[in-house]
């Protein structure tokens, strides 16, 4: 939740002026809604939801040999294969098409729901372990590293991150950008796994995890081990800013995908989707948040800690 909520909130502040006032009117919704895809996945056990969050790139061929649309992907691969290996890039493209259509038709509620959801999947596309068959280090005796990397580390160090990733830009080729994004993210997999393996070799074994009064390793709500603060500090140093950089890239990408959908929809006027009084009332707070954002900071986002 911490990562997704900070990404979506910062993305609103990275939008250009013609879109920003509308999105800022609903910034709390867009922030909180960012975790809803995980709610559908874990709490509602929506079978269709799970493969939207990842892609095991090793089990697909070269990107230039893959179908461009989700419909064609489903013709080429059976449902079992896609459930096991993911459909993230094609779901991103489908979400962009839907968001563009919603902008074109100026469907306020759809715009907000789709934009918030899209931000979640873009965040997932920047998490290296969402792009690999070794998604939880289970193949290299590193089970638990997924929640450690994307949740515990983000929560521990996120307050010091610089969230100002620059203003949104237009994406001329959405499909090419999706694959470029995923290929870069995937290139980080070996680095983050290797850093953990190397650190465990030199770190006192009894001090790697947090323990309760009986000496049992503490687990988070996903039943993953909770690492000690000392281990987190050393791992963060070995990663050399990787998590912060991926979050910043996620923010820029989310804002840019929203902006691109709006441009491709013909730049519809969003100012009349809300009462003018609401926009005027929020303008003062928007100026405050933008001032903070330019310094790399966000208003306090009260995500529930998983640790």
């Amino acid at each position: 939740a911490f990562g997704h909520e900070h990404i979506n909130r910062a993305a609103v502040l990275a939008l250009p002026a013609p879109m920003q006032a509308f999105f800022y009117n609903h910034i709390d919704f867009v922030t909180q809604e960012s975790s809803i895809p995980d709610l559908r996945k874990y709490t509602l056990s929506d079978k269709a939801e799970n493969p939207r969050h990842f892609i095991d790139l090793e089990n697909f061929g070269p990107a230039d040999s893959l179908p461009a649309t989700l419909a064609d992907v489903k013709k080429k691969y059976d449902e079992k294969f896609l459930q096991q290996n993911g459909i993230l890039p094609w779901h991103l493209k489908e979400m962009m098409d839907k968001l563009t259509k919603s902008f074109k038709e100026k469907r306020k509620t759809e715009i907000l729901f789709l934009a918030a959801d899209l931000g979640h999947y873009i965040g997932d596309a920047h998490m290296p372990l969402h792009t690999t068959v070794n998604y939880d280090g289970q193949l290299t005796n590193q089970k638990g590293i997924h929640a450690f990397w994307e949740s515990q580390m983000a929560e521990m160090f996120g307050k010091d991150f610089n969230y100002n990733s620059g203003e949104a830009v237009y994406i001329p080729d959405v499909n090419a950008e999706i694959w470029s994004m995923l290929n870069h993210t995937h290139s980080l997999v070996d680095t983050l796994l290797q850093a953990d393996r190397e650190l465990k070799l030199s770190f006192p074994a009894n001090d790697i995890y947090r323990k309760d009064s009986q000496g049992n390793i503490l687990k988070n709500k996903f039943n993953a081990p909770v690492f000690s603060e000392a281990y987190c500090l050393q791992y963060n140093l070995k990663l050399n800013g990787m998590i912060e950089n991926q979050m910043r890239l996620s923010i820029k990408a989310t804002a840019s995908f929203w902006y691109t959908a709006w441009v491709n929809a013909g730049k519809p006027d969003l100012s009349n989707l809300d009462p003018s009084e609401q926009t005027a009332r929020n303008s003062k707070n928007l100026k405050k948040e933008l001032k903070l954002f330019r310094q790399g900071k966000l208003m306090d986002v009260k995500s529930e800690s998983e640790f």
Side-chain angles (χ1 to χ4, degrees):
F2 180 96
H4 288 300
E5 291 185 2
H6 281 71
I7 289 165
N8 271 19
R9 191 171 195 93
V12 171
L13 301 170
L15 288 171
M19 297 178 70
Q20 193 173 65
F22 167 71
F23 270 81
Y24 189 77
N25 282 343
H26 308 281
I27 192 168
D28 290 336
F29 173 84
V30 172
T31 299
Q32 292 155 14
E33 176 72 12
S34 66
S35 295
I36 294 300
D38 279 342
L39 179 69
R40 293 195 294 262
K41 176 180 173 183
Y42 293 112
T43 306
L44 302 180
S45 300
D46 183 346
K47 186 181 177 185
E49 185 64 45
N50 186 59
R52 297 169 179 166
H53 296 249
F54 70 97
I55 179 169
D56 294 342
L57 284 172
E58 301 94 336
N59 292 339
F60 288 88
D64 58 7
S65 72
L66 296 174
T69 69
L70 186 56
D72 288 339
V73 167
K74 288 180 176 178
K75 290 176 186 174
K76 182 172 181 178
Y77 303 99
D78 63 36
E79 184 181 350
K80 183 179 179 183
F81 178 88
L82 294 176
Q83 279 286 333
Q84 291 175 341
N85 294 283
I87 59 170
L88 176 56
W90 301 286
H91 186 60
L92 284 171
K93 180 63 170 60
E94 190 170 73
M95 290 288 290
M96 273 293 284
D97 292 342
K98 288 179 178 178
L99 180 59
T100 303
K101 186 172 185 287
S102 293
F103 273 126
K104 197 172 292 186
E105 297 172 357
K106 298 181 71 169
R107 293 162 125 6
K108 174 180 169 178
T109 303
E110 281 185 20
I111 290 168
L112 294 169
F113 270 105
L114 290 168
D117 272 14
L118 180 58
H120 179 100
Y121 301 117
I122 289 173
D124 283 353
H126 285 84
M127 198 298 197
L129 297 174
H130 279 259
T131 70
T132 177
V133 67
N134 193 19
Y135 61 90
D136 196 27
Q138 76 281 7
L139 303 179
T140 47
N141 196 30
Q142 295 172 275
K143 199 162 172 59
I145 195 170
H146 192 116
F148 172 50
W149 195 96
E150 75 173 8
S151 296
Q152 187 177 357
M153 291 289 289
E155 279 190 29
M156 180 171 287
F157 299 102
K159 65 183 184 301
D160 297 318
F161 288 170
N162 178 353
Y163 292 98
N164 184 357
S165 57
E167 190 172 282
V169 296
Y170 179 73
I171 300 166
D173 187 334
V174 168
N175 199 51
E177 182 63 23
I178 288 169
W179 283 104
S180 174
M181 184 168 68
L182 284 167
N183 287 330
H184 166 74
T185 302
H186 187 65
S187 74
L188 304 175
V189 172
D190 288 343
T191 301
L192 76 85
L193 291 171
Q194 182 67 22
D196 178 63
R197 286 195 296 269
E198 289 176 357
L199 185 55
K200 280 176 178 167
L201 289 174
S202 61
F203 209 86
N206 285 333
D207 297 333
I208 293 175
Y209 303 106
R210 287 189 202 168
K211 296 178 182 177
D212 62 20
S213 56
Q214 280 77 45
N216 301 310
I217 294 173
L218 292 174
K219 302 287 183 73
N220 69 0
K221 66 183 181 183
F222 298 110
N223 203 35
V226 179
F227 288 75
S228 69
E229 184 174 341
Y231 190 86
C232 291
L233 288 166
Q234 291 303 309
Y235 187 60
N236 192 49
L237 288 173
K238 286 185 77 69
L239 289 182
N240 193 31
M242 182 193 290
I243 297 173
E244 178 180 1
N245 189 53
Q246 287 305 104
M247 283 192 70
R248 283 167 56 83
L249 289 173
S250 297
I251 292 162
K252 182 71 171 282
T254 298
S256 296
F257 273 66
W258 292 346
Y259 175 61
T260 299
W262 176 73
V263 171
N264 289 346
K267 299 184 179 180
D269 181 8
L270 305 178
S271 64
N272 57 5
L273 294 183
D274 292 318
S276 57
E277 298 82 6
Q278 181 183 3
T279 303
R281 192 168 59 245
N282 286 329
S283 62
K284 189 175 179 182
N285 283 336
L286 172 56
K287 287 177 183 175
K288 285 181 183 176
E289 285 215 48
L290 282 174
K291 186 176 180 182
L292 268 179
F293 181 63
R294 291 184 188 110
Q295 298 165 10
K297 304 299 178 188
L298 295 177
M299 290 280 199
D300 189 24
V301 180
K302 300 189 185 316
S303 308
E304 180 186 348
S305 175
E306 297 172 2
F307 299 90

